[in-house]
């Protein structure tokens, strides 16, 4: 049982390049989330999904797109990276219908540097 | 929208002593959850403790306990017998309750408190 995993762990991009961050969970959770963490800040919600095939915007969605084609995976895409997107990105999942568990479980984070 | 405020950017405590981290929040909802997460230098977000707003009893997890004051919208974390491994950033977080129609969106975090343990 790996919990929540994220790929890659670290990436350097040039301005204008694109990339996709992958999040996978093996807890059969319904809800999945992408957050970003900047220095001196708590985590802020980018996008989230309440089930396979659904996505919704969070607090800071601009410049990002997401997809949830499979229940266990949640992808975060940057179409044209900007230096302002330099951050640490966290994926989280929660809510098992069987247990109505409210707690969010986090992945280890992806550090992204945009030059 | 809900807001979470942690007024202590940094706290320092002697090993084996007790320390309390403060958190206040603003909400118009009556049903919600509150969390404390720990983030060590590894950056992994680790759940420390959670509190359901409908429960009057304060949550405890071994050396960690909370003082939940719903009317005052206060949710402080007490760490007893502090250990070197407790050194980390601590984040307070809020989430609406699923069963009251909210909760599908994510956690709202405070800016964190950096806890230093003096040996």
């Amino acid at each position: 049982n790996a919990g929540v995993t994220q790929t890659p762990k670290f990436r350097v991009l040039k301005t204008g390049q694109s990339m996709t961050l992958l999040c996978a969970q093996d807890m059969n959770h319904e809800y999945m989330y992408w957050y970003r963490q900047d220095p001196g800040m708590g985590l802020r919600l980018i996008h989230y999904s309440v089930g396979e095939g659904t996505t919704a915007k969070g607090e800071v969605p601009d410049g990002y797109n997401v997809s949830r084609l499979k229940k266990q995976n949640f992808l975060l895409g940057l179409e044209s990276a900007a230096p302002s997107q330099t951050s640490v990105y966290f994926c989280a999942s929660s809510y098992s219908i069987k247990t109505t568990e409210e707690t969010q479980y986090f992945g280890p984070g992806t550090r992204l540097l945009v030059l | 929208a809900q807001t979470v405020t942690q007024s202590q950017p940094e706290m320092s405590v002697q090993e084996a002593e007790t320390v309390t981290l403060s958190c206040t929040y603003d909400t118009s909802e009556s049903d919600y959850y509150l969390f404390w997460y720990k983030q060590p230098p590894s950056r992994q977000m680790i759940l420390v403790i959670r509190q359901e707003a409908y429960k009057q009893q304060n949550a405890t997890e071994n050396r960690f306990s909370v003082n939940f004051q719903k009317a005052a919208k206060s949710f402080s974390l007490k760490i007893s017998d502090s250990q070197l491994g407790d050194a980390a950033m601590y984040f307070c977080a809020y989430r609406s309750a699923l069963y009251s129609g909210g909760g599908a969106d994510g956690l709202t975090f405070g800016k964190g408190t950096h806890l230093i343990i003096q040996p």
Side-chain angles (χ1 to χ4, degrees), chain A residues 31 33 35 37 40-45 48-50 88 90 94-95 100-109 111, chain B residues 33 35 37 39 42-47 50 91 95-99 102-112:
Chain A
Y31 296 176
Y33 310 82
Y35 295 87
Q37 183 180 28
M41 302 283 290
L43 281 66
R44 292 183 293 167
L45 184 66
Y48 64 98
S49 168
V50 300
V88 180
F90 287 94
S94 72
Y95 190 51
T100 66
E101 174 60 66
E102 294 276 359
T103 301
Q104 292 190 15
Y105 296 89
F106 285 82
R111 186 166 163 245
Chain B
Y33 290 77
F35 304 85
Y37 280 89
Q39 187 180 43
S42 66
R43 291 202 188 98
Q44 179 72 50
M45 295 291 287
I46 302 166
L47 177 68
R50 52 175 270 167
F91 292 96
R95 180 178 182 170
S96 299
L98 280 170
Y99 53 79
D105 49 353
L107 294 163
T108 300
F109 284 86
K111 291 187 177 182

Side-chain angles (χ1 to χ4, degrees), chain A residues 7 16 18 27 35 58 60 62 76 85-86 97:
Chain A
T7 308
S18 64
M27 296 175 282
Y35 295 87
V60 289
D62 294 342
L76 178 71
Q85 293 178 304
T86 293
I97 289 178

Side-chain angles (χ1 to χ4, degrees), chain A:
Chain A
N1 192 342
V4 181
T5 58
Q6 292 182 230
T7 308
K9 289 184 170 53
F10 175 64
R11 184 77 183 268
V12 178
L13 287 180
K14 293 181 180 178
T15 297
Q17 286 185 319
S18 64
M19 79 163 294
T20 300
L21 282 66
L22 170 63
C23 175
Q25 53 93 6
D26 60 2
M27 296 175 282
N28 201 32
H29 281 164
E30 297 297 318
Y31 296 176
M32 296 187 74
Y33 310 82
W34 277 107
Y35 295 87
R36 62 177 287 173
Q37 183 180 28
D38 301 303
M41 302 283 290
L43 281 66
R44 292 183 293 167
L45 184 66
I46 304 171
H47 286 282
Y48 64 98
S49 168
V50 300
E52 183 178 318
T54 74
T55 63
K57 293 180 180 180
E59 180 186 353
V60 289
D62 294 342
Y64 305 95
N65 56 75
V66 288
S67 64
R68 183 116 180 253
L69 299 180
K70 294 183 179 180
K71 185 177 181 179
Q72 63 268 33
N73 295 336
F74 195 30
L75 279 63
L76 178 71
L78 286 74
E79 289 187 350
S80 180
S84 60
Q85 293 178 304
T86 293
S87 190
V88 180
Y89 292 85
F90 287 94
C91 177
S93 70
S94 72
Y95 190 51
S96 166
I97 289 178
K98 285 187 179 179
T99 65
T100 66
E101 174 60 66
E102 294 276 359
T103 301
Q104 292 190 15
Y105 296 89
F106 285 82
T110 293
R111 186 166 163 245
L112 177 65
L113 176 61
V114 183
L115 301 175

